[in-house]
Amino acid sequence: MDAIVLLREDHKTVEKLFKRFEKTSEGDTAERRRIADEVIEELTVHAWIEEKFFYPAAREAAPDTTDHILESIEEHHAVVWMLSEIKDMDPADERFKAKMTVLMEQVRHHVEEEEQDWFPEVRKAMGRNRLTELGGELEAGKKQAPRDPLAVPSADSK
């Protein structure tokens, strides 16, 4: 599978989880916890494979995207930090829903920038064969990616 197609599929998966979370009722803390745990795993894996495989390849193929990539890495850092807080938070805590809402806003902004602003540039620069090869690397990377946001190295330690 093409790397950009794979990343867009991840984005769709997370968006479906966000919509499920938004439909939960105030008292449904067990369901909110389940959804939050799925979001944590999906976003942790996604951020890790992007930073480990996709961003370096994109930066090499399309140097003009470097600023977008550096901004995305910082957005990931903020998201992973929020995920680590949500992971240990009681879903009955009055701030749980608010924290998830802010997370969703940040992720939606990040996804919009990636998909509209620079994925097209990367697609043009890489071409089908390289994107398919990179997609295989991303799929393999998902198997070894951490599921716990606390296991993801910070942008500053790379």
Side-chain angles (χ1 to χ4, degrees):
M1 176 185 300
D2 170 317
I4 291 174
V5 171
L6 183 145
L7 295 174
R8 285 179 184 236
E9 289 298 316
D10 284 359
H11 293 165
K12 288 178 190 170
T13 297
V14 170
E15 181 59 30
K16 285 177 188 171
L17 291 168
F18 288 169
K19 286 186 184 324
R20 274 183 46 210
F21 187 89
E22 289 169 332
K23 289 178 183 174
T24 61
S25 63
E26 283 303 314
D28 202 353
T29 56
E31 179 65 3
R32 284 184 176 176
R33 175 81 269 159
R34 279 191 295 277
I35 295 167
D37 288 344
E38 285 184 62
V39 166
I40 289 165
E41 181 171 335
E42 289 290 334
L43 288 177
T44 300
V45 169
H46 181 81
W48 191 84
I49 64 168
E50 276 191 326
E51 289 187 32
K52 181 141 178 92
F53 302 103
F54 186 74
Y55 290 170
R59 191 172 182 176
E60 182 180 324
D64 289 350
T65 64
T66 295
D67 286 345
H68 288 293
I69 291 167
L70 293 173
E71 183 180 325
S72 290
I73 290 169
E74 293 307 319
E75 289 171 347
H76 281 182
H77 178 69
V79 165
V80 167
W81 174 65
M82 289 184 72
L83 293 174
S84 68
E85 289 187 340
I86 292 166
K87 178 181 179 291
D88 295 326
M89 198 172 206
D90 182 341
D93 185 305
E94 67 179 356
R95 292 178 50 228
F96 187 83
K97 182 182 177 200
K99 196 170 288 284
M100 281 292 293
T101 299
V102 171
L103 172 75
M104 290 185 281
E105 290 169 357
Q106 287 186 345
V107 169
R108 285 172 171 152
H109 167 79
H110 174 82
V111 165
E112 182 180 332
E113 282 187 340
E114 278 188 345
E115 291 189 359
Q116 292 180 7
D117 295 347
W118 63 276
F119 276 3
E121 288 181 61
V122 172
R123 176 171 295 293
K124 186 176 175 183
M126 281 193 182
R128 181 182 306 156
N129 290 341
R130 177 63 182 120
L131 283 169
T132 300
E133 176 186 308
L134 185 56
E137 293 174 34
L138 295 179
E139 285 195 51
K142 282 186 171 199
K143 294 179 179 112
Q144 65 186 28
R147 269 59 186 161
D148 183 342
L150 296 173
V152 176
S154 74
D156 299 330
S157 68
K158 293 178 184 168

